[in-house]
Amino acid sequence: MQRKALIFIIVFTFCWLFNPIKADFEEKTEDDFLKASERCLQSEHLPGTYKGHFENFDYADEEPVHRYIHCIWTDLKLWNDRTGFNVEHIASLYRDKANTEVLVPILSVCNRNTQNEPTLKWCYNAFKCVLNSLVGQWFKEDVGRKLQDTQTTTNHVG
């Protein structure tokens, strides 16, 4: 009996210590996205007119918007310039809405750089593809709800 318990503890400890998602990824929330968005608006020196478009999920195919999109997803550690979106991490964010077998194929299709675009354009195209998918619908609902909550709270305070 003691041997089984010891083996369990060793296996559990090994899995806990070397779980790649736990080790290098902290789940992101709508708040994290909105904070990264604000940081990137400032760091990319985008005029305030862009913010209203972005809050309506309107992302024009323009170089400043490409930089902004890349900034957000890199900031959130969900984008890598060599491999694209971290499909497994993004899928884990929506595991309460669908299983991995549904999510990973959607995200993987969007992640492909079929045109061998430069990094910023690839990130933008992948993001737009995700936005037009079921995952994008959930993203818009979640972020939209958070934006409404934030605006309601701000209006009541002021």
Side-chain angles (χ1 to χ4, degrees), residues 25 34 41 45 48 51 53 75 90 97 99 124 131 137:
F25 180 69
L34 294 174
L41 277 168
H45 309 289
K51 187 174 182 175
H53 291 283
D75 183 274
I90 294 172
K97 300 188 191 261
N99 64 33
Y124 170 82
L131 270 186
Q137 180 182 333

Side-chain angles (χ1 to χ4, degrees), residues 92-152:
S92 75
L93 300 175
Y94 293 100
R95 68 179 170 265
D96 62 325
K97 300 188 191 261
N99 64 33
T100 304
E101 290 78 25
V102 171
L103 295 168
V104 169
I106 292 170
L107 296 167
S108 294
V109 165
C110 289
N111 208 33
R112 291 190 187 115
N113 189 1
T114 55
Q115 303 296 317
N116 292 317
E117 297 279 4
T119 302
L120 296 180
K121 180 72 171 169
W122 173 27
C123 182
Y124 170 82
N125 288 338
F127 174 64
K128 288 290 285 190
C129 177
V130 170
L131 270 186
N132 291 320
S133 73
L134 185 57
V135 176
Q137 180 182 333
W138 297 328
F139 171 80
K140 289 175 190 175
E141 289 169 0
D142 293 345
V143 172
R145 197 170 20 256
K146 188 64 182 178
L147 276 170
Q148 280 186 325
D149 291 348
T150 302
Q151 291 166 352
T152 301

Side-chain angles (χ1 to χ4, degrees), residues 46 144 158:
L46 294 175

Side-chain angles (χ1 to χ4, degrees), residues 33-102:
F33 174 81
L34 294 174
K35 288 174 187 172
S37 174
E38 284 299 320
R39 283 190 299 270
C40 291
L41 277 168
Q42 292 175 8
S43 70
E44 295 302 324
H45 309 289
L46 294 175
T49 56
Y50 278 101
K51 187 174 182 175
H53 291 283
F54 297 158
E55 287 178 352
N56 289 311
F57 306 101
D58 177 19
Y59 301 95
D61 190 356
E62 302 171 356
E63 194 268 337
V65 177
H66 299 176
R67 288 192 331 263
Y68 165 80
I69 297 295
H70 181 263
C71 176
I72 290 174
W73 298 110
T74 302
D75 183 274
L76 293 173
K77 296 180 176 55
L78 292 171
W79 175 267
N80 177 297
D81 288 344
R82 288 181 292 111
T83 58
F85 279 120
N86 188 316
V87 171
E88 291 79 19
H89 288 173
I90 294 172
S92 75
L93 300 175
Y94 293 100
R95 68 179 170 265
D96 62 325
K97 300 188 191 261
N99 64 33
T100 304
E101 290 78 25
V102 171

